[in-house]
Amino acid sequence: MAFYHPVLFALDAERAHRLTIRALALRGKLGTPYTPNPLPWPRLASTVAGLYFPNPLGIAAGVDKDGEAIDGLFSLDVGAVEIGTLTPLPQSGNPKPRLFRLVKDRAVVNRFGFNNGGLAAALPRVAAASRLGSRGRIGINVGANKDSADRIADYALGVAGAAPVADYVTINISSPNTPGLRDLQSSAALRDLLAACAQARGDTPLFLKVAPDLDATEIDDVVRAAADHRVDAIIIGNTTISRPALRSANGTETGGLSGAPLAPLARQRLGDFRRATGGAITLIAAGGIGDAAEAYARIRAGASLIQFYTALVYEGPGLPARMLRDLDALLARDGFAHVAEAVGIDA
């Protein structure tokens, strides 16, 4: 995946993605001028899970799997960058090709399979990133190795390693591209997982990322388990294995679908989680968010923070700045002094 440019779109999607990450890493190393978010957008700042976020926009996990371009991503004016998914051991992921653009649908299908260089290689990059003060928050998204004999132990190891250097840690049990991983969303397995991770996190906020394909019973189970184990936020959600009507030929590829076609499902699941939690657990919206109007709708439906990924591919690196400007205008239009006042107003 790569930010839109005719040259990049002429390349294989995964190669273009790698070139984009390298360019962003260079941008960060060169110290591209950065404007602290709280100055132009005071209405957009908020505190979530005890953490100050200069604005609600965040880069979702998957853009920068190994934490190579954190500073470059922050230069896009986002309030948070979540790297990963990181596994305890490096792994190459699924065979290529595994990333497919659906240009007519402004969407993407991927079946990466947690390809990454491993937790130990990425943690020093996070520790070295310039994230102090108003620059934003860094999350680390952790997962289990595909061939692990004990996936819960993998997650606990990931949380324990990430917690000392991350602002928050996300447990990712929502990827459809590692066989059996989503089974950890079931009640008994999830409780064992959360118990282990809660013990490993220390005082670092713990987030849980779930799939948008859950049914009502599964949502209730997730909410109860998250509440019992004091999960600080739930991210809804990852890619979907469902297939709405698509126009692009690559829509038939196996893997998780992201981008504009995911928006209706992700929006519905956010509402489901808001009703199930009664507002007692912080929610973070992801999936099909490509402009301020959609971001604002998710906030009004109950999301305290927003994450996006695929929209950057089609809208380019100027997307966050446009969204911040338009989101601020929407909040001002409706008389909100701070974004937190709008969270869940339509729920």
Side-chain angles (χ1 to χ4, degrees):
M1 225 177 284
F3 298 160
Y4 176 76
H5 188 283
V7 174
L8 288 172
F9 265 46
L11 300 175
D12 167 77
E14 186 166 352
R15 183 183 178 195
H17 184 194
R18 285 300 310 151
L19 289 173
T20 299
I21 292 300
R22 289 172 186 167
L24 284 166
L26 178 61
R27 179 184 173 115
K29 289 178 181 178
L30 292 176
T32 302
Y34 174 82
T35 302
N37 289 305
L39 297 179
W41 310 117
R43 195 190 322 269
L44 301 182
S46 63
T47 298
V48 175
L51 301 173
Y52 172 80
F53 287 81
N55 70 63
L57 303 186
I59 300 294
V63 175
D64 186 7
K65 290 177 178 292
D66 291 298
E68 300 171 281
I70 295 170
D71 283 337
L73 287 165
F74 272 125
S75 75
L76 304 182
D77 288 330
V78 293
V81 173
E82 186 171 313
I83 71 161
T85 297
L86 295 172
T87 54
L89 299 176
Q91 63 182 28
S92 58
N94 293 323
K96 298 179 182 179
R98 54 195 180 181
L99 179 62
F100 307 90
R101 301 185 190 97
L102 283 64
V103 177
K104 293 179 180 178
D105 302 289
R106 302 182 77 78
V108 164
V109 169
N110 90 82
R111 50 173 180 262
F112 278 123
F114 287 173
N115 58 309
N116 73 106
L119 190 70
L123 293 183
R125 300 188 192 108
V126 178
S130 301
R131 72 184 200 279
L132 299 179
S134 62
R135 197 163 178 85
R137 296 300 181 182
I138 298 178
I140 298 180
N141 183 301
V142 300
N145 283 110
K146 179 180 179 179
D147 297 326
S148 174
D150 188 343
R151 286 182 170 172
I152 290 178
D154 273 17
Y155 278 97
L157 183 63
V159 171
V165 297
D167 291 309
Y168 67 87
V169 181
T170 298
I171 308 167
N172 182 6
I173 55 173
S174 57
S175 172
N177 300 316
T178 297
L181 188 81
R182 286 189 172 191
D183 293 344
L184 290 171
Q185 295 175 133
S186 65
S187 181
L190 180 58
R191 287 182 174 276
D192 290 343
L193 172 66
L194 292 181
C197 291
Q199 186 173 5
R201 69 165 172 174
D203 295 326
T204 303
L206 188 66
F207 294 1
L208 175 66
K209 188 170 187 176
V210 297
D213 303 309
L214 299 174
D215 62 28
T217 299
E218 291 168 327
I219 290 170
D220 288 340
D221 287 344
V222 167
V223 168
R224 282 194 294 268
D228 289 346
H229 293 281
R230 299 183 181 180
V231 169
D232 295 280
I234 300 174
I235 303 174
I236 308 135
N238 207 326
T239 57
T240 180
I241 57 175
S242 67
R243 288 294 184 272
L246 299 169
R247 296 181 294 163
S248 305
N250 282 337
T252 61
E253 292 288 346
T254 300
L257 173 71
S258 62
L262 177 55
L265 176 62
R267 199 183 308 125
Q268 179 181 344
R269 287 295 170 269
L270 174 64
D272 293 340
F273 270 91
R274 175 69 182 198
R275 286 185 288 276
T277 62
I281 300 177
T282 296
L283 303 179
I284 300 171
I289 301 171
D291 57 29
E294 184 63 32
Y296 189 42
R298 304 285 179 98
I299 290 168
R300 292 181 65 104
S304 295
L305 298 172
I306 301 296
Q307 293 186 346
F308 54 90
Y309 179 173
T310 304
L312 285 169
V313 178
Y314 295 100
E315 299 296 332
L319 175 63
R322 294 194 299 272
M323 288 180 67
L324 290 172
R325 179 197 65 211
D326 294 345
L327 182 56
D328 186 72
L330 289 168
L331 289 164
R333 180 198 68 187
D334 293 341
F336 295 113
H338 297 97
V339 64
E341 297 172 3
V343 174
I345 200 73
D346 292 338

Short mmCIF file of all heavy atoms in Angstrom, two decimals, residues 57 106 259-260 263 267 287-299 306-312 315 318-328 330:
data_model
loop_
_atom_site.label_atom_id
_atom_site.label_comp_id
_atom_site.label_asym_id
_atom_site.label_seq_id
_atom_site.Cartn_x
_atom_site.Cartn_y
_atom_site.Cartn_z
N LEU A 57 -7.07 11.95 15.52
CA LEU A 57 -6.70 11.16 14.34
C LEU A 57 -5.45 10.33 14.60
O LEU A 57 -4.43 10.85 15.07
CB LEU A 57 -6.46 12.07 13.14
CG LEU A 57 -7.60 12.99 12.71
CD1 LEU A 57 -7.23 13.70 11.42
CD2 LEU A 57 -8.90 12.22 12.56
N ARG A 106 -11.93 2.13 -4.03
CA ARG A 106 -11.11 2.84 -3.05
C ARG A 106 -10.90 1.95 -1.83
O ARG A 106 -11.14 2.34 -0.68
CB ARG A 106 -11.75 4.18 -2.68
CG ARG A 106 -11.97 5.07 -3.89
CD ARG A 106 -12.54 6.42 -3.54
NE ARG A 106 -11.54 7.32 -2.99
CZ ARG A 106 -10.63 8.00 -3.70
NH1 ARG A 106 -10.57 7.82 -5.02
NH2 ARG A 106 -9.78 8.81 -3.12
N GLY A 259 -10.94 -0.15 3.60
CA GLY A 259 -11.25 0.98 2.74
C GLY A 259 -12.72 1.33 2.75
O GLY A 259 -13.50 0.88 3.60
N ALA A 260 -13.13 2.13 1.78
CA ALA A 260 -14.47 2.71 1.75
C ALA A 260 -15.60 1.69 1.88
O ALA A 260 -16.58 1.95 2.60
CB ALA A 260 -14.64 3.54 0.48
N ALA A 263 -16.92 0.86 5.48
CA ALA A 263 -17.49 1.88 6.36
C ALA A 263 -18.86 1.51 6.95
O ALA A 263 -19.05 1.64 8.17
CB ALA A 263 -17.57 3.22 5.63
N ARG A 267 -19.21 1.09 10.96
CA ARG A 267 -20.08 2.05 11.64
C ARG A 267 -21.14 1.32 12.46
O ARG A 267 -21.44 1.69 13.60
CB ARG A 267 -20.74 2.96 10.60
CG ARG A 267 -21.29 4.26 11.15
CD ARG A 267 -21.97 5.05 10.03
NE ARG A 267 -21.12 5.22 8.86
CZ ARG A 267 -21.46 4.86 7.62
NH1 ARG A 267 -22.66 4.31 7.39
NH2 ARG A 267 -20.64 5.06 6.62
N GLY A 287 -11.80 1.68 10.15
CA GLY A 287 -12.47 0.98 9.06
C GLY A 287 -13.28 1.88 8.17
O GLY A 287 -14.37 2.33 8.55
N GLY A 288 -12.75 2.20 7.00
CA GLY A 288 -13.49 2.97 6.01
C GLY A 288 -13.63 4.45 6.30
O GLY A 288 -14.50 5.11 5.72
N ILE A 289 -12.78 4.99 7.15
CA ILE A 289 -12.85 6.42 7.47
C ILE A 289 -11.92 7.17 6.53
O ILE A 289 -10.70 6.99 6.57
CB ILE A 289 -12.46 6.67 8.93
CG1 ILE A 289 -13.40 5.92 9.87
CG2 ILE A 289 -12.48 8.17 9.24
CD1 ILE A 289 -12.98 5.92 11.32
N GLY A 290 -12.51 8.03 5.68
CA GLY A 290 -11.71 8.72 4.68
C GLY A 290 -11.92 10.21 4.60
O GLY A 290 -11.31 10.87 3.77
N ASP A 291 -12.76 10.76 5.47
CA ASP A 291 -12.95 12.20 5.49
C ASP A 291 -13.48 12.62 6.85
O ASP A 291 -13.81 11.79 7.69
CB ASP A 291 -13.88 12.68 4.36
CG ASP A 291 -15.25 12.02 4.39
OD1 ASP A 291 -15.73 11.65 5.49
OD2 ASP A 291 -15.87 11.89 3.31
N ALA A 292 -13.56 13.95 7.06
CA ALA A 292 -13.99 14.45 8.36
C ALA A 292 -15.44 14.12 8.66
O ALA A 292 -15.80 13.89 9.82
CB ALA A 292 -13.77 15.97 8.41
N ALA A 293 -16.28 14.08 7.65
CA ALA A 293 -17.69 13.77 7.87
C ALA A 293 -17.86 12.38 8.47
O ALA A 293 -18.63 12.18 9.41
CB ALA A 293 -18.47 13.90 6.57
N GLU A 294 -17.12 11.41 7.93
CA GLU A 294 -17.21 10.05 8.47
C GLU A 294 -16.58 9.98 9.86
O GLU A 294 -17.11 9.32 10.76
CB GLU A 294 -16.52 9.06 7.53
CG GLU A 294 -16.65 7.60 7.96
CD GLU A 294 -18.09 7.10 7.97
OE1 GLU A 294 -18.91 7.57 7.15
OE2 GLU A 294 -18.41 6.24 8.82
N ALA A 295 -15.47 10.67 10.05
CA ALA A 295 -14.84 10.70 11.37
C ALA A 295 -15.79 11.30 12.40
O ALA A 295 -15.92 10.79 13.52
CB ALA A 295 -13.54 11.49 11.31
N TYR A 296 -16.45 12.38 12.03
CA TYR A 296 -17.38 13.06 12.94
C TYR A 296 -18.57 12.15 13.26
O TYR A 296 -19.03 12.09 14.41
CB TYR A 296 -17.84 14.36 12.30
CG TYR A 296 -18.65 15.27 13.20
CD1 TYR A 296 -18.29 15.48 14.53
CD2 TYR A 296 -19.77 15.94 12.71
CE1 TYR A 296 -19.03 16.33 15.34
CE2 TYR A 296 -20.50 16.80 13.51
CZ TYR A 296 -20.13 16.99 14.83
OH TYR A 296 -20.86 17.84 15.63
N ALA A 297 -19.06 11.44 12.27
CA ALA A 297 -20.17 10.51 12.51
C ALA A 297 -19.77 9.43 13.50
O ALA A 297 -20.57 9.04 14.37
CB ALA A 297 -20.62 9.88 11.19
N ARG A 298 -18.54 8.92 13.39
CA ARG A 298 -18.08 7.89 14.32
C ARG A 298 -17.91 8.47 15.74
O ARG A 298 -18.23 7.81 16.72
CB ARG A 298 -16.76 7.29 13.86
CG ARG A 298 -16.74 6.70 12.47
CD ARG A 298 -17.44 5.38 12.33
NE ARG A 298 -17.35 4.96 10.94
CZ ARG A 298 -16.46 4.10 10.46
NH1 ARG A 298 -15.60 3.53 11.27
NH2 ARG A 298 -16.45 3.80 9.16
N ILE A 299 -17.42 9.69 15.83
CA ILE A 299 -17.29 10.34 17.13
C ILE A 299 -18.66 10.50 17.78
O ILE A 299 -18.87 10.15 18.94
CB ILE A 299 -16.57 11.69 16.99
CG1 ILE A 299 -15.10 11.47 16.65
CG2 ILE A 299 -16.70 12.53 18.26
CD1 ILE A 299 -14.36 12.71 16.19
N ILE A 306 -10.04 8.13 16.40
CA ILE A 306 -10.24 7.63 15.04
C ILE A 306 -8.91 7.09 14.52
O ILE A 306 -7.86 7.68 14.74
CB ILE A 306 -10.70 8.78 14.10
CG1 ILE A 306 -12.01 9.40 14.59
CG2 ILE A 306 -10.81 8.29 12.66
CD1 ILE A 306 -13.19 8.46 14.59
N GLN A 307 -8.96 5.96 13.82
CA GLN A 307 -7.78 5.45 13.13
C GLN A 307 -8.09 5.23 11.66
O GLN A 307 -9.21 4.87 11.31
CB GLN A 307 -7.31 4.12 13.75
CG GLN A 307 -6.77 4.26 15.16
CD GLN A 307 -6.19 2.95 15.68
OE1 GLN A 307 -6.40 1.87 15.12
NE2 GLN A 307 -5.43 3.03 16.76
N PHE A 308 -7.09 5.45 10.81
CA PHE A 308 -7.28 5.20 9.38
C PHE A 308 -5.99 4.72 8.76
O PHE A 308 -4.91 4.84 9.33
CB PHE A 308 -7.80 6.46 8.67
CG PHE A 308 -6.96 7.70 8.89
CD1 PHE A 308 -5.91 8.00 8.04
CD2 PHE A 308 -7.23 8.55 9.94
CE1 PHE A 308 -5.14 9.13 8.24
CE2 PHE A 308 -6.47 9.69 10.15
CZ PHE A 308 -5.42 9.98 9.30
N TYR A 309 -6.12 4.14 7.57
CA TYR A 309 -4.99 3.56 6.85
C TYR A 309 -5.25 3.65 5.35
O TYR A 309 -4.61 4.43 4.64
CB TYR A 309 -4.80 2.12 7.32
CG TYR A 309 -3.68 1.33 6.67
CD1 TYR A 309 -3.36 0.07 7.15
CD2 TYR A 309 -2.93 1.81 5.60
CE1 TYR A 309 -2.34 -0.69 6.59
CE2 TYR A 309 -1.91 1.06 5.03
CZ TYR A 309 -1.62 -0.18 5.53
OH TYR A 309 -0.62 -0.93 4.97
N THR A 310 -6.22 2.88 4.86
CA THR A 310 -6.43 2.76 3.42
C THR A 310 -6.74 4.09 2.77
O THR A 310 -6.33 4.33 1.62
CB THR A 310 -7.54 1.74 3.13
OG1 THR A 310 -7.20 0.49 3.75
CG2 THR A 310 -7.72 1.52 1.65
N ALA A 311 -7.45 4.98 3.46
CA ALA A 311 -7.78 6.28 2.86
C ALA A 311 -6.53 7.05 2.46
O ALA A 311 -6.56 7.82 1.48
CB ALA A 311 -8.61 7.10 3.84
N LEU A 312 -5.43 6.87 3.18
CA LEU A 312 -4.19 7.55 2.83
C LEU A 312 -3.69 7.13 1.45
O LEU A 312 -3.07 7.92 0.74
CB LEU A 312 -3.11 7.25 3.87
CG LEU A 312 -3.23 7.97 5.22
CD1 LEU A 312 -2.26 7.36 6.22
CD2 LEU A 312 -2.98 9.46 5.06
N GLU A 315 -6.11 9.18 -0.87
CA GLU A 315 -6.24 10.62 -0.64
C GLU A 315 -4.90 11.33 -0.49
O GLU A 315 -4.83 12.55 -0.59
CB GLU A 315 -7.09 10.88 0.61
CG GLU A 315 -8.52 10.34 0.51
CD GLU A 315 -9.33 11.03 -0.56
OE1 GLU A 315 -9.03 12.20 -0.87
OE2 GLU A 315 -10.25 10.39 -1.11
N GLY A 318 -1.78 14.57 2.49
CA GLY A 318 -2.46 15.78 2.97
C GLY A 318 -3.79 15.49 3.64
O GLY A 318 -4.43 16.40 4.19
N LEU A 319 -4.21 14.22 3.64
CA LEU A 319 -5.52 13.86 4.21
C LEU A 319 -5.67 14.26 5.68
O LEU A 319 -6.69 14.87 6.03
CB LEU A 319 -5.78 12.37 4.03
CG LEU A 319 -7.05 11.82 4.69
CD1 LEU A 319 -8.29 12.45 4.07
CD2 LEU A 319 -7.10 10.30 4.59
N PRO A 320 -4.72 13.95 6.57
CA PRO A 320 -4.95 14.31 7.98
C PRO A 320 -5.17 15.80 8.20
O PRO A 320 -6.07 16.18 8.96
CB PRO A 320 -3.66 13.83 8.67
CG PRO A 320 -3.16 12.72 7.80
CD PRO A 320 -3.48 13.15 6.41
N ALA A 321 -4.39 16.63 7.54
CA ALA A 321 -4.56 18.08 7.73
C ALA A 321 -5.93 18.54 7.26
O ALA A 321 -6.58 19.38 7.91
CB ALA A 321 -3.46 18.83 6.97
N ARG A 322 -6.40 17.99 6.14
CA ARG A 322 -7.75 18.35 5.66
C ARG A 322 -8.81 17.88 6.64
O ARG A 322 -9.78 18.60 6.92
CB ARG A 322 -8.00 17.73 4.28
CG ARG A 322 -7.11 18.28 3.17
CD ARG A 322 -7.63 17.89 1.80
NE ARG A 322 -7.68 16.45 1.58
CZ ARG A 322 -6.67 15.73 1.10
NH1 ARG A 322 -5.49 16.32 0.85
NH2 ARG A 322 -6.80 14.44 0.90
N MET A 323 -8.65 16.68 7.16
CA MET A 323 -9.63 16.15 8.10
C MET A 323 -9.66 16.98 9.38
O MET A 323 -10.74 17.24 9.94
CB MET A 323 -9.32 14.68 8.41
CG MET A 323 -9.62 13.74 7.26
SD MET A 323 -9.25 12.01 7.65
CE MET A 323 -10.47 11.66 8.93
N LEU A 324 -8.51 17.39 9.88
CA LEU A 324 -8.47 18.20 11.09
C LEU A 324 -9.20 19.53 10.89
O LEU A 324 -9.99 19.96 11.73
CB LEU A 324 -7.02 18.45 11.51
CG LEU A 324 -6.25 17.24 12.04
CD1 LEU A 324 -4.79 17.59 12.23
CD2 LEU A 324 -6.85 16.73 13.34
N ARG A 325 -8.92 20.18 9.77
CA ARG A 325 -9.58 21.46 9.47
C ARG A 325 -11.09 21.29 9.39
O ARG A 325 -11.85 22.05 10.02
CB ARG A 325 -9.04 21.99 8.14
CG ARG A 325 -9.67 23.31 7.68
CD ARG A 325 -9.39 23.52 6.22
NE ARG A 325 -10.05 22.50 5.39
CZ ARG A 325 -9.57 22.05 4.23
NH1 ARG A 325 -8.42 22.51 3.74
NH2 ARG A 325 -10.24 21.14 3.55
N ASP A 326 -11.53 20.27 8.67
CA ASP A 326 -12.97 20.08 8.48
C ASP A 326 -13.65 19.58 9.75
O ASP A 326 -14.80 19.96 10.03
CB ASP A 326 -13.22 19.09 7.33
CG ASP A 326 -12.75 19.64 5.98
OD1 ASP A 326 -12.50 20.86 5.88
OD2 ASP A 326 -12.61 18.83 5.04
N LEU A 327 -12.97 18.74 10.52
CA LEU A 327 -13.54 18.26 11.76
C LEU A 327 -13.70 19.40 12.76
O LEU A 327 -14.73 19.50 13.45
CB LEU A 327 -12.67 17.15 12.35
CG LEU A 327 -13.16 16.48 13.63
CD1 LEU A 327 -14.55 15.90 13.47
CD2 LEU A 327 -12.17 15.38 14.06
N ASP A 328 -12.71 20.25 12.84
CA ASP A 328 -12.81 21.41 13.72
C ASP A 328 -14.00 22.28 13.32
O ASP A 328 -14.75 22.77 14.19
CB ASP A 328 -11.51 22.22 13.66
CG ASP A 328 -11.50 23.36 14.65
OD1 ASP A 328 -11.37 23.10 15.86
OD2 ASP A 328 -11.62 24.53 14.21
N LEU A 330 -16.75 21.33 11.80
CA LEU A 330 -18.00 20.64 12.13
C LEU A 330 -18.32 20.77 13.62
O LEU A 330 -19.48 20.99 14.01
CB LEU A 330 -17.89 19.16 11.74
CG LEU A 330 -17.91 18.86 10.25
CD1 LEU A 330 -17.50 17.42 9.99
CD2 LEU A 330 -19.29 19.14 9.65
#
